[in-house]
Amino acid sequence: GAGVSQSPSNKVTEKGKDVELRCDPISGHTALYWYRQSLGQGLEFLIYFQGNSAPDKSGLPSDRFSAERTGGSVSTLTIQRTQQEDSAVYLCASSPDSRYSPLHFGNGTRLTVT
Amino acid sequence: GQQLNQSPQSMFIQEGEDVSMNCTSSSIFNTWLWYKQDPGEGPVLLIALYKAGELTSNGRLTAQFGITRKDSFLNISASIPSDVGIYFCAGQGTSGTYKYIFGTGTRLKVLA
């Protein structure tokens, strides 16, 4: 496809379980971002990958959150021991380069922790 | 979380009215972006700004990159019902990892 693809689109999990969220960026885009959007709120920066550079993890809220990007393409955001406050929409975006390039977003994964 | 100040938080306006919103930062940015988000979807890019003082239009939308490089403005002229949604600004820093930080959003509702 031409756009950023995220899966699953919806995920319901029980408190304490681990979840993995997947992002397929636009082909050729070297920069990849993860954001979290709580209900009715803005976009909270989580983590940013640029090429082979070390990722900027400064937005990850706790050590239960981690992300990796394999082969410079697909990325997985993992949340361990989920809590109810983790419930939100997790948005992924990619761009052709890190500087001066707008972000292209997927439609997000809506995570509900019960 | 890291977010920019955006105002107003929400607006109710009549169809045909003009709309103004702004975004401010304590840091200098090299790039300002404006996005619109519809329910259940990801944000979609409206306008990108790359130079201080730059004024750019996209149809009925006009955005400006503030001279101080710490703020940006978005105007919508002659609003229509499909303008309803949430509008976000985003700024990119001048050094480091060049991550984009987003504003808190302006929720726009247009009354026909």
Side-chain angles (χ1 to χ4, degrees), chain A residues 27-41:
Chain A
S27 177
H29 280 194
T30 60
L32 187 147
Y33 300 73
W34 283 98
Y35 290 87
R36 178 169 70 175
Q37 186 174 29
S38 300
L39 186 62
Q41 301 299 310

Side-chain angles (χ1 to χ4, degrees), chain B residues 18-19 21 33-36 44-49 55-64 73-80 82-84 86-88 108:
Chain B
D18 297 345
V19 174
M21 60 190 78
L33 307 175
W34 283 93
Y35 285 84
K36 178 175 184 273
V44 174
L45 180 70
L46 299 174
I47 293 179
L49 302 160
L55 188 70
T56 298
S57 293
N58 178 7
R60 294 178 295 103
L61 278 63
T62 301
Q64 183 163 26
F73 309 88
L74 176 69
N75 295 310
I76 305 172
S77 63
S79 58
I80 59 178
S82 62
D83 290 335
V84 67
I86 306 176
Y87 292 79
F88 291 103
L108 179 64

Side-chain angles (χ1 to χ4, degrees), chain A residues 77-99:
Chain A
L77 177 68
T78 301
I79 309 173
Q80 296 178 310
R81 304 181 302 282
T82 52
Q83 304 294 313
Q84 287 187 329
E85 60 263 28
D86 298 336
S87 296
V89 175
Y90 290 83
L91 290 161
C92 176
S94 69
S95 72
D97 197 352
S98 61
R99 297 195 67 184

Side-chain angles (χ1 to χ4, degrees), chain A:
Chain A
V4 176
S5 178
Q6 291 188 246
S7 61
S9 55
N10 283 283
K11 175 71 175 180
V12 180
T13 189
E14 292 181 354
K15 177 181 173 181
K17 297 287 181 80
D18 298 351
V19 295
E20 286 189 351
L21 312 180
R22 177 187 169 103
C23 173
D24 281 275
I26 294 173
S27 177
H29 280 194
T30 60
L32 187 147
Y33 300 73
W34 283 98
Y35 290 87
R36 178 169 70 175
Q37 186 174 29
S38 300
L39 186 62
Q41 301 299 310
L43 277 68
E44 176 189 3
F45 169 79
L46 296 178
I47 188 168
Y48 159 53
F49 297 89
Q50 171 53 40
N52 295 321
S53 302
D56 180 341
K57 305 179 182 180
S58 60
L60 295 178
S62 77
D63 58 8
R64 295 187 296 105
F65 288 72
S66 63
E68 62 178 23
R69 189 177 185 193
T70 54
S73 180
V74 172
S75 178
T76 302
L77 177 68
T78 301
I79 309 173
Q80 296 178 310
R81 304 181 302 282
T82 52
Q83 304 294 313
Q84 287 187 329
E85 60 263 28
D86 298 336
S87 296
V89 175
Y90 290 83
L91 290 161
C92 176
S94 69
S95 72
D97 197 352
S98 61
R99 297 195 67 184
Y100 310 120
S101 297
L103 305 184
H104 302 264
F105 281 88
N107 284 332
T109 294
R110 180 175 297 278
L111 175 66
T112 303
V113 182
T114 61

